[in-house]
Amino acid sequence: MIQSCKSVLAVIIALLAVTAVNAQKIPEILSLDNAIDIAVKSYPSLKAKLAEIEAGKSEAEARKVNYALPGIAWQAQALYATSNQVRGTYYPLEGTAIPTSGSIKTNGFTSDAVWSSLSSVLVNYKLANFGRKKAEKDYAEAGIQQANADYERELFEHKVKVTDAYLLSLVFEGAVKVQENTLTRTQAYYDVVMAGAQAGLRSGVDSSLAKAELSKANILLLESRKMASQQKIRLAELLGFDNGNFQLAGEKFNEALPEVSSEESPSWQSTNPILKFYQKQVDFSLAKARIISKSSMPSIMAVGAAWAKGSGINDRTDADGNFIYNSSLSGLGFRAYDYMLGLPHSGKYRIFSEQSMNLRPSSSELKVIRNNIIRICSG
């Protein structure tokens, strides 16, 4: 019992330690650069985009291995079944038809069942595919580039959101200071008016107006504090903080204007991450169209196979010409061995063009992407 309590306590301490390490430390004074760095490292959607990039790399590697290495398939079976046969043809229909090997029995159909076995190894390697390998490689690479561009777009948009939230927080903090100063002046004016009214130097109307101005200043101060608090909470959410207990460093924005580089900068159309993302979407759709167009191309494979089979039905017959059945487990032992080598050819040829039907979604996607690009450039 004591040992169990110690184990539970150790687990709790370990979890608390991990939580303390992983917890985001909130700085007392937060600059804009620090806010952007923290947002980039901690925001969940950016981590998800990085995971998508890794997934795309894994998929590209899998497609590369699919053509670079031979495929190997192995199976082993042990079955207890009957072996009745009739003459005729059947269609396997995706493996739902069960084949039976052997000749037709002279003594007709019986319910005698025996053990049989089969084991096989099949090795195939794609020798020629007439452009399908390159098309799939380009498709995978385009997927990785699209995922990278999507991450850069998400990173750019998140930096813009954080910067906007930070600057708006500074604006609202400044508005709070302005309202505090306004309240101080209004309070001083109210005190002067009330003193004059009490001395009989001012009318009651002046004191009523002073009270109204003071109430208005208090309400505006409360509203500005509320908006500043809400904006700071929004900034904290973008940074992954659970509260807004931090101060903003806005002094440098009041000291000097931002520096403008004298060097000629490249066109914004060539550096905008959103436009780059849409361009990578176009490239990805074109690569998808190419792989669809190559799907009907034939392929030539090198195939090698070896298999062995055992059965409880004896090769010899009795005096009446009937097969001899042995229902013991001895039928699992291999009795026949075979092998095969060859260069098979396969391809899909259809009367109606399936490619044109598959290419329609890609063409529609390209139209949508181009319209988005035009909208961004014109906006």
Side-chain angles (χ1 to χ4, degrees):
M1 182 66 180
I2 297 176
Q3 187 66 27
S4 301
C5 293
K6 290 182 178 179
S7 301
V8 173
L9 183 60
V11 172
I12 294 174
I13 294 174
L15 291 175
L16 291 175
V18 172
T19 304
V21 172
N22 293 333
Q24 185 66 257
K25 185 179 180 180
I26 302 178
E28 294 182 0
I29 300 178
L30 183 69
S31 66
L32 178 58
D33 293 335
N34 290 338
I36 293 176
D37 291 339
I38 292 173
V40 169
K41 295 177 182 178
S42 62
Y43 202 61
S45 65
L46 295 176
K47 294 181 180 180
K49 297 299 181 183
L50 290 175
E52 290 178 4
I53 294 175
E54 295 300 322
K57 291 180 180 179
S58 300
E59 182 180 357
E61 189 66 25
R63 288 180 179 271
K64 180 180 178 181
V65 171
N66 185 34
Y67 284 94
L69 300 177
I72 302 176
W74 173 84
Q75 67 158 325
Q77 301 179 13
L79 305 173
Y80 184 73
T82 58
S83 58
N84 297 312
Q85 284 274 42
V86 293
R87 292 184 178 89
T89 303
Y90 69 91
Y91 181 65
L93 195 60
E94 299 181 357
T96 57
I98 309 300
T100 303
S101 63
S103 60
I104 298 175
K105 296 185 289 185
T106 58
N107 58 340
F109 305 130
T110 65
S111 59
D112 298 328
V114 295
W115 284 99
S116 61
S117 61
L118 173 67
S119 182
S120 64
V121 177
L122 174 65
V123 180
N124 66 84
Y125 181 75
K126 298 176 182 178
L127 294 177
N129 44 60
F130 303 96
R132 288 174 59 185
K133 177 181 178 180
K134 185 178 185 303
E136 290 202 11
K137 179 181 177 182
D138 294 341
Y139 176 74
E141 291 295 331
I144 295 176
Q145 294 179 7
Q146 182 190 15
N148 278 305
D150 191 19
Y151 169 76
E152 295 295 333
R153 176 190 63 82
E154 184 76 15
L155 179 63
F156 172 75
E157 291 181 347
H158 190 60
K159 285 182 177 180
V160 171
K161 290 179 182 178
V162 171
T163 303
D164 178 68
Y166 189 93
L167 296 179
L168 282 178
S169 295
L170 288 177
V171 170
F172 285 124
E173 284 189 353
V176 170
K177 294 179 181 179
V178 170
Q179 293 301 328
E180 288 176 348
N181 293 332
T182 301
L183 179 61
T184 301
R185 290 194 302 270
T186 305
Q187 182 68 50
Y189 173 74
Y190 172 79
D191 293 339
V192 170
V193 171
M194 292 303 295
Q198 291 174 359
L201 301 177
R202 287 180 176 271
S203 63
V205 175
D206 292 337
S207 61
S208 298
L209 291 175
K211 287 181 180 179
E213 289 296 328
L214 182 61
S215 299
K216 180 180 177 181
N218 277 293
I219 292 173
L220 291 176
L221 177 59
L222 292 175
E223 287 292 331
S224 61
R225 285 176 177 173
K226 176 183 176 182
M227 296 178 66
S229 177
Q230 290 176 346
Q231 187 60 36
K232 208 168 185 181
I233 291 174
R234 177 174 176 268
L235 176 60
E237 291 176 351
L238 293 174
L239 299 179
F241 296 162
D242 56 358
N243 58 70
N245 297 331
F246 53 87
Q247 299 296 324
L248 302 180
E251 291 79 9
K252 71 174 184 179
F253 296 101
N254 302 324
E255 294 174 356
L257 294 174
E259 296 182 1
V260 180
S261 176
S262 59
E263 299 180 0
E264 184 177 354
S265 60
S267 174
W268 69 272
Q269 287 93 342
S270 61
T271 58
N272 190 294
I274 300 178
L275 289 179
K276 283 185 176 181
F277 169 68
Y278 284 127
Q279 183 59 51
K280 295 304 179 183
Q281 275 193 322
V282 172
D283 297 341
F284 182 76
S285 296
L286 292 175
K288 181 180 179 181
R290 285 192 293 270
I291 198 174
I292 292 174
S293 65
K294 296 291 184 180
S295 62
S296 63
M297 298 300 292
S299 61
I300 300 176
M301 297 180 293
V303 175
W307 63 96
K309 187 175 182 182
S311 174
I313 303 177
N314 202 313
D315 295 333
R316 299 178 181 180
T317 59
D318 57 14
D320 297 329
N322 298 322
F323 291 102
I324 301 174
Y325 287 81
N326 184 358
S327 59
S328 66
L329 294 177
S330 61
L332 296 177
F334 295 143
R335 289 163 46 192
Y337 300 89
D338 296 281
Y339 68 91
M340 174 190 69
L341 298 172
L343 297 172
H345 161 274
S346 66
K348 295 181 179 179
Y349 305 97
R350 301 185 183 275
I351 299 176
F352 299 100
S353 178
E354 184 181 5
Q355 297 177 16
S356 60
M357 300 298 293
N358 291 331
L359 285 172
R360 287 181 183 177
S362 297
S363 302
S364 301
E365 291 172 2
L366 286 175
K367 291 180 181 178
V368 173
I369 295 170
R370 288 191 177 113
N371 289 334
N372 288 332
I373 294 175
I374 294 173
R375 176 177 56 82
I376 293 176
C377 293
S378 60

